[in-house]
Amino acid sequence: MEGLLIHAILRELEPRLPARSLGWVFPDEGTAALLLEGIGNLVLRYRPPRPILTVEPGDLEGEPKTPFQRMLAARAKGRLLEATQVKLDRVVWLFFEGERGFVDTPPARLVFELTGRNANLLLTDPQDRILGLDRSVTREVNRFRELRPGLPYTPPPPYHKLDPRTVSAEDLRILLGEKLVQAVQKNLDGIGKELAQELAWRAGMTPQTVVAEGHLQPLHRALQSLVRQPGERTALSKDLREAWEQEGAEALRKPLREALLKRRKTLQARLEDYHKALARLGEAAQLRTWGDLLLAYRKQVPPGSGQAVLTDFAGQEVTIPLEASLSVAQNADRFYGRAKRLEANALRALELEPKTREELAELEAELEAIAKAGRAELVSRLERTRQDRSSEVGLRYRSPSGFAVWVGRSSKENEFLTRTAHSQDLWFHVQGIPGSHVILRTAGQSAPLPDLLFAAQLAAFYSKAKGDKNVPVDYTPKKNVWRPRKAAAGQVLYTGAKTLFVDANPPEGL
């Protein structure tokens, strides 16, 4: 959730605070909702990768489902005094007054970090000491800060960006010469990709427009409008839609074209190699002649000679270079071997050159088709390319019920398979031990226990626990798996996992 949208919600909430809390409800393990008198439900969806803060009407229900939710219900009580946001960062502080009763509940603070894949919800005391949190963060995961009960709360790393609420048209000169959406995301606080695109459209530009002097005033006006109403979406004019479609098509066309040009360069280099191989056939004939002469006149060649001067079968004098450390027969064998390799290369070139030319012609036709393709066709081509690439990565198996099972064999394959899996596919990994990422391709369908055990055994077998007994394997929908910022390929965090215990041996019938 983008910082400017969070700001808009808090801006509407602020005049109505303090507000009396009517209690917490928990619709699921990753959602907490605070019913505020006269306002509605302040809903906090705090599990990664898409945390959300919103105010919703209606009746929500649900008892606490995790230890942290039980702590939240018991410790975050009394009136909600204040809801604040530092700059336009994606971190919200909620201040609770506490309440008096048979046992008093002291004041508390709730910190909601809406930071995408690193989202978290923490409860602290007034001195910012962490009382409880949804997900602990260790030094191994984040070298900048550690989050666990008992430690003082450390906010995310500071950053320096322009505040869109106070920025002037002159300040926007920092965007000059750069593509609009990327420049806005990099330099303006609280604006992510979605709002940056909306800003472009309100200014009558496209996401890929390179910012020039004449764009600064329209951008400033559009930015002021965006700050006032970030939730609205612009209906694009026909011209702007066509320009956006064209720029989008060019962005899609580029990776397809680059891959084909790289392939074309490879094929052209192969054709050059084939031509060189055919041109050296005459050299092979000469080498065989030298071998024949050496064997025919071996007695005329002194041992240890660096060359032999002999008369060939047509009466011409021939000088043959020799390897002095080899015998005459060994030198002849060396010439025959080289001739044999040259002839084999030429024969292979004759066989492969037509196929390579045919493939090159098809590639040229593909390049021409991509140059003319529209956005929809380019999207389809990219998807097919990804699927083709995906089919070449990792080990592939079938579960007892017929689901596809992917197994990564390296950190890069683990990264790729996990990233390309469907959000509802099941992800498996041995608990606490290096090993393969295993994907059970269910796409949200219910998987029988034999299929779960099959995938879990593969995860155990392709891990450092191979051969062990009773190995714990965690599994969870892929949507609950994410790679922390700056983490190495294949290193992930996950939530909502269940655990199976299996022997780390190949599944039966593998």
Side-chain angles (χ1 to χ4, degrees):
M1 189 171 183
E2 301 180 33
L4 203 56
L5 291 171
I6 296 170
H7 170 71
I9 291 169
L10 298 182
R11 185 176 59 201
E12 292 187 7
L13 185 62
E14 183 180 14
R16 307 170 77 175
L17 296 180
R20 189 162 73 95
S21 166
L22 301 179
W24 290 93
V25 294
F26 303 95
D28 56 57
E29 289 186 2
T31 304
L34 178 66
L35 181 57
L36 295 172
E37 187 176 44
I39 296 176
N41 298 291
L42 183 63
V43 181
L44 293 73
R45 296 186 175 91
Y46 52 85
R47 287 281 170 88
R50 292 185 61 83
I52 295 174
L53 174 71
T54 183
V55 177
E56 297 179 3
D59 295 329
L60 297 179
E61 298 179 351
E63 297 296 321
K65 296 171 177 60
T66 66
F68 174 66
Q69 288 183 343
R70 287 192 287 274
M71 173 183 283
L72 191 58
R75 298 294 298 268
K77 288 187 173 183
R79 293 187 303 169
L80 177 62
L81 301 176
E82 190 179 354
T84 64
Q85 177 186 24
V86 178
K87 297 195 290 186
L88 289 175
D89 200 1
R90 293 177 295 169
V91 179
V92 175
W93 290 77
L94 304 174
F95 296 84
F96 290 88
E97 184 179 35
E99 66 179 15
R100 292 186 173 278
F102 185 72
V103 176
D104 290 346
T105 301
R109 300 178 180 179
L110 197 57
V111 186
F112 188 11
E113 297 185 348
L114 295 94
T115 46
R117 292 184 177 275
N118 296 311
N120 212 341
L121 188 64
L122 307 94
L123 184 68
T124 78
D125 63 16
Q127 289 74 44
D128 294 337
R129 181 174 59 89
I130 299 173
L131 302 174
L133 70 169
D134 179 60
R135 181 169 53 82
S136 296
V137 177
T138 64
R139 289 289 182 185
E140 289 74 22
V141 174
N142 189 326
R143 61 185 177 84
F144 180 81
R145 62 179 187 154
E146 187 174 5
L147 301 176
R148 56 183 175 84
L151 294 181
Y153 171 69
T154 303
Y159 62 90
H160 302 285
K161 292 185 179 182
L162 296 174
D163 189 331
R165 295 169 295 185
T166 58
V167 72
S168 67
E170 187 66 22
D171 293 331
L172 294 180
R173 296 182 65 84
I174 196 172
L175 309 180
L176 290 174
E178 296 191 49
K179 291 181 179 179
L180 179 56
V181 164
Q182 291 92 326
V184 167
Q185 289 180 257
K186 183 172 69 174
N187 294 291
L188 294 181
D189 193 12
I191 300 181
K193 183 177 180 180
E194 183 181 344
L195 286 182
Q197 289 181 339
E198 174 63 22
L199 175 65
W201 296 331
R202 291 192 190 189
M205 305 176 197
T206 69
Q208 300 300 314
T209 297
V210 177
V211 181
E213 289 280 353
H215 296 140
L216 297 183
Q217 288 297 336
L219 270 175
H220 186 249
R221 289 192 295 270
L223 189 58
Q224 291 176 316
S225 166
L226 191 69
V227 169
R228 290 193 301 270
Q229 296 174 311
E232 289 190 359
R233 293 295 174 263
T234 301
L236 301 186
S237 67
K238 181 182 178 182
D239 290 344
L240 191 56
R241 168 65 66 182
E242 288 177 353
W244 179 74
E245 290 281 350
Q246 185 176 354
E247 286 187 355
E250 287 304 317
L252 295 170
R253 202 183 324 274
K254 184 178 178 181
L256 289 169
R257 179 175 170 78
E258 287 178 348
L260 290 177
L261 289 175
K262 184 177 179 181
R263 178 65 179 164
R264 182 172 70 176
K265 187 176 180 181
T266 300
L267 293 176
Q268 289 171 338
R270 286 182 185 175
L271 285 176
E272 289 180 15
D273 290 341
Y274 298 156
H275 295 158
K276 291 176 183 177
L278 291 170
R280 295 187 71 183
L281 262 179
E283 184 181 339
Q286 182 188 55
L287 290 169
R288 284 198 178 278
T289 300
W290 286 356
D292 293 342
L293 288 172
L294 286 175
L295 293 180
Y297 302 110
R298 71 174 67 188
K299 292 183 179 180
Q300 298 180 22
V301 182
S305 298
Q307 66 178 26
V309 180
L310 302 172
T311 302
D312 66 13
F313 305 117
Q316 300 290 325
E317 188 176 85
V318 178
T319 300
I320 303 173
L322 301 176
E323 184 70 46
S325 61
L326 301 178
S327 68
V328 174
Q330 287 173 328
N331 272 292
D333 285 343
R334 186 164 63 93
F335 291 141
Y336 289 142
R338 286 170 58 188
K340 186 177 181 180
R341 287 193 293 274
L342 290 174
E343 289 165 350
N345 288 342
L347 186 63
R348 185 167 178 269
L350 284 171
E351 179 185 350
L352 294 179
E353 184 182 20
K355 297 178 182 178
T356 304
R357 288 193 180 280
E358 183 180 342
E359 186 177 351
L360 191 57
E362 291 175 355
L363 190 145
E364 295 290 355
E366 186 79 0
L367 278 169
E368 186 176 348
I370 285 174
K372 298 177 181 177
R375 182 183 175 86
E377 184 181 347
L378 291 170
V379 169
S380 177
R381 284 176 179 270
L382 274 175
E383 183 60 29
R384 289 199 302 271
T385 301
R386 292 191 188 102
Q387 289 174 355
D388 292 343
R389 183 184 168 201
S390 172
S391 66
E392 298 171 359
V393 177
L395 300 173
R396 303 300 167 105
Y397 299 102
R398 284 285 170 186
S399 70
S401 296
F403 290 119
V405 184
W406 297 350
V407 180
R409 295 168 294 184
S410 66
S411 58
K412 287 187 177 180
E413 286 194 351
N414 286 342
E415 168 82 8
F416 179 78
L417 294 179
T418 299
R419 188 176 71 248
T420 54
H422 188 281
S423 64
Q424 295 295 331
D425 288 343
L426 295 178
W427 177 91
F428 292 74
H429 197 283
V430 171
Q431 196 178 91
I433 298 175
S436 294
H437 293 200
V438 174
I439 306 294
L440 182 62
R441 299 274 290 162
T442 64
Q445 298 179 57
S446 178
L449 181 59
D451 296 64
L452 300 176
L453 293 172
F454 181 88
Q457 263 194 282
L458 285 173
F461 179 67
Y462 290 104
S463 76
K464 295 288 186 182
K466 181 177 179 179
D468 291 351
K469 302 290 184 182
N470 211 31
V471 175
V473 177
D474 289 342
Y475 71 97
T476 186
K478 181 256 181 176
K479 67 179 181 179
N480 294 337
V481 181
W482 71 98
R483 178 182 174 182
R485 190 167 64 91
K486 296 185 179 180
Q491 291 187 356
V492 298
L493 298 173
Y494 56 93
T495 60
K498 298 179 181 179
T499 305
L500 294 169
F501 289 84
V502 296
D503 294 340
N505 299 318
E508 281 189 36
L510 188 66

